[in-house]
Amino acid sequence: MGSSEIPAEIERVLLDEETIQARVCQLAAQIGADYAEIDNLVLVGVLKGAFIFLSDLARNLTVPHEVDFIALSSYNRGVVSTGAVRLIMDTRGNVTGRNVLIVEDILDTGYTLDYLIRAFQARNPASLRTCVFISKPERHEVDLSIDYLGFETPDEWLVGYGLDYADRFRTLPYIGVLKQEVYE
Ligand code: PRP
């Protein structure tokens, strides 16, 4: 499949590649300015979804930084979230005393990020901030403040740019809306 072909399961493109890349550059510039005088920055990408956003963000970042990953999963994740989060893989490095920036693809109910913030705070980082590419305000069940946000979107099933449906569509260069008939 060529990247220019839109799969039949996609209803429409919500954020095209150009729009996404422009926003990622803006976020990287903002983060670069904020961390200009701060060293020991580590970007922690939340797998699997954040791997595409993290790689674009990190490559646009002009301040020194390290990259690490953590993998989480929600219990019984389907259309309805239960709020329980499971740690599958921890970061390789110790974050104590480091300036940690959590990088997430999407903030849905907020349970995952809430869990992560608590888990990292308990490890005494020098600072802790969050960078989220997509937020769906209508879905939030936990009140969280995001330091760097890409876009707010309506409550639709989004795929592409790291986001999946049954592990498919993650590598589309745009964010598309999945047809309702696909997941119903
Ligand atoms: C997605 C996404 C976030 C989480 C957000 O992960 O990557 O980590 O859901 O949802 P929440 O705000 O309701 O907690 P998912 O569990 O689908 O795993 P994946 O990243 O491996 O696709």
Side-chain angles (χ1 to χ4, degrees):
M1 185 184 72
S3 61
S4 58
E5 290 168 36
I6 296 178
E9 294 91 337
I10 309 284
E11 185 183 286
R12 67 181 197 282
V13 173
L14 184 70
L15 300 168
D16 65 21
E17 189 172 0
E18 202 186 338
T19 306
I20 289 173
Q21 293 303 327
R23 187 72 188 118
V24 173
C25 285
Q26 287 175 342
L27 289 172
Q30 200 185 339
I31 293 165
D34 290 354
Y35 287 85
E37 308 298 324
I38 299 170
D39 37 83
N40 239 333
L41 171 61
V42 56
L43 308 181
V44 178
V46 185
L47 297 173
K48 299 179 189 177
F51 81 111
I52 303 266
F53 174 45
L54 175 73
S55 71
D56 281 346
L57 187 73
R59 286 179 296 172
N60 278 287
L61 210 52
T62 54
V63 290
H65 60 274
E66 283 182 31
V67 168
D68 209 329
F69 293 97
I70 194 163
L72 301 171
S73 187
S74 310
Y75 282 106
N76 305 323
R77 175 167 279 285
V79 176
V80 178
S81 172
T82 59
V85 175
R86 182 165 56 115
L87 179 67
I88 295 175
M89 183 195 84
D90 208 344
T91 55
R92 187 176 294 190
N94 186 347
V95 301
T96 303
R98 321 267 328 256
N99 292 291
V100 176
L101 180 61
I102 300 172
V103 180
E104 257 287 29
D105 53 336
I106 188 161
L107 179 66
D108 191 8
T109 62
Y111 288 119
T112 304
L113 202 55
D114 184 56
Y115 170 94
L116 273 176
I117 290 168
R118 289 167 199 271
F120 279 116
Q121 257 160 4
R123 297 171 184 188
N124 298 316
S127 70
L128 180 63
R129 288 187 183 175
T130 52
C131 178
V132 173
F133 192 61
I134 296 275
S135 170
K136 291 180 176 173
E138 293 162 56
R139 297 267 307 163
H140 295 184
E141 291 177 24
V142 183
D143 194 23
L144 292 170
S145 79
I146 303 303
D147 297 292
Y148 306 98
L149 175 63
F151 297 95
E152 285 192 342
T153 71
D155 180 18
E156 294 177 290
W157 197 305
L158 305 179
V159 293
Y161 205 65
L163 302 172
D164 73 307
Y165 168 67
D167 254 321
R168 295 178 61 202
F169 309 118
R170 287 193 200 274
T171 54
L172 295 175
Y174 51 83
I175 288 194
V177 177
L178 197 67
K179 284 181 183 164
Q180 224 167 325
E181 69 209 41
V182 178
Y183 58 87
E184 277 183 353

